[in-house]
Amino acid sequence: MNPGMDCKEAEEAVHGYVDGELDRAAAARVDAHIRGCAQCRRLYERERQMSASLRQAAERFTAPADLGQRIGAALEMAAKPASREHAVSWRQLGLAASFLLVAVISSALTFRFSVPGETDRQGEEVISGHVRALVANHMTDVASSDQHTVKPWFNGKLDLSPPVVDLAREEFPLVGGRLDYVDGHPVAALVYRHRQHPITLYVWVDGSAGDGAARHLSRRGYNALGWTLKGTVFWAVSDINAEDLQRFAELLKSQA
Ligand SMILES: [Zn+2]
């Protein structure tokens, strides 16, 4: 007994029936049809299960409170007739989006191809150490422009006697030295200056490190330049530009 409802009509109505969107009379007609029609009853079962699992999923992934508003606003904007002005701004938006994409991709590539692991980690650490000393306003434990005062100060404090050179005539005057920590080990930190900009020169012994190519790291406006000489590791850190820091490193190497 299917009063006025065939399978086609039932198929169209079953979704609303499952979601309880039909008025009482229509719901009764669908109900009557699926009782008497196995095919539409199977369709009803499928719809009911799908609706139930969608509801479950929706409970698991609660949408942000303003999502509805944002979708509504986006639809409203899309529905507005595109004036010339709008067309331009959409084009500009597309252009901006593609620039953004390029920027994201190139920064990802830069990150990927930057100097790997160990250098980055050491560079990060010495930059942090330099910044820490600056912030604490504690660049030196021994403040002296005399290498013959600074060098012996490290005696007994470290297992190395750091090379201390006088570069005052080359515009890198010695300011002093301090003990610092890199990788959990105490290291010598010699402090130089270039036009009021402090430079920390970290020195520690690492027997396993051979003579290595210069390594450079730039972070938050600070440059770190690292090199290894006969088992001694050097890192120079400062906010002076990379060229001046390079010159400082070359001067140190030439006097070592
Ligand atoms: Zn049917």
Side-chain angles (χ1 to χ4, degrees):
M1 194 184 84
N2 295 332
M5 181 169 274
D6 58 13
C7 287
K8 187 173 176 296
E9 211 180 333
E11 267 170 42
E12 284 165 3
V14 76
H15 188 80
Y17 176 72
V18 166
D19 288 344
E21 289 164 353
L22 303 183
D23 62 43
R24 190 175 298 196
R29 288 168 69 219
V30 174
D31 185 54
H33 180 89
I34 61 177
R35 276 169 198 276
C37 172
Q39 193 189 320
C40 288
R41 196 158 58 244
R42 279 196 297 274
L43 176 66
Y44 160 73
E45 281 301 332
R46 278 203 306 274
E47 285 284 332
R48 199 176 58 82
Q49 278 165 17
M50 188 176 292
S51 177
S53 50
L54 281 177
R55 255 199 309 278
Q56 259 181 355
E59 277 161 19
R60 276 203 299 276
F61 306 105
T62 310
D66 65 336
L67 182 64
Q69 265 179 343
R70 273 166 26 216
I71 292 172
L75 289 174
E76 219 171 280
M77 190 180 279
K80 272 182 190 160
S83 68
R84 184 165 295 273
E85 200 182 339
H86 272 106
V88 168
S89 69
W90 279 111
R91 253 205 317 278
Q92 285 171 338
L93 204 63
L95 202 62
S98 55
F99 277 130
L100 188 66
L101 189 64
V102 168
V104 166
I105 289 171
S106 40
S107 70
L109 288 176
T110 306
F111 181 73
R112 213 188 138 82
F113 293 121
S114 64
V115 197
E118 184 70 359
T119 295
D120 270 13
R121 200 177 51 74
Q122 279 186 5
E124 294 270 9
E125 272 214 51
V126 294
I127 289 174
S128 294
H130 178 79
V131 173
R132 207 163 45 231
L134 277 175
V135 169
N137 197 19
H138 186 95
M139 291 303 283
T140 54
D141 294 324
V142 53
S144 171
S145 60
D146 182 1
Q147 54 184 318
H148 304 294
T149 303
V150 174
K151 188 177 170 72
W153 182 85
F154 288 98
N155 287 350
K157 296 183 178 72
L158 291 169
D159 57 357
L160 86 157
S161 181
V164 183
V165 297
D166 183 3
L167 300 173
R169 272 177 306 177
E170 288 86 359
E171 291 183 285
F172 294 100
L174 180 66
V175 177
R178 69 174 187 274
L179 281 180
D180 209 325
Y181 287 84
V182 173
D183 212 5
H185 300 292
V187 300
L190 302 168
V191 184
Y192 291 83
R193 204 179 65 221
H194 185 61
R195 300 191 182 111
Q196 306 313 315
H197 297 266
I199 304 168
T200 300
L201 176 68
Y202 288 92
V203 187
W204 70 87
V205 173
D206 179 357
S208 65
D211 291 6
R215 297 165 291 171
H216 176 245
L217 194 76
S218 201
R219 291 283 188 280
R220 308 182 295 271
Y222 293 92
N223 285 302
L225 190 66
W227 66 97
T228 308
L229 212 61
K230 297 176 191 128
T232 303
V233 178
F234 297 84
W235 275 97
V237 185
S238 181
D239 62 343
I240 61 173
N241 65 50
E243 289 72 29
D244 284 337
L245 199 61
Q246 180 70 49
R247 194 159 63 84
F248 174 67
E250 295 305 329
L251 285 165
L252 287 169
K253 287 182 208 171
S254 70
Q255 302 216 4

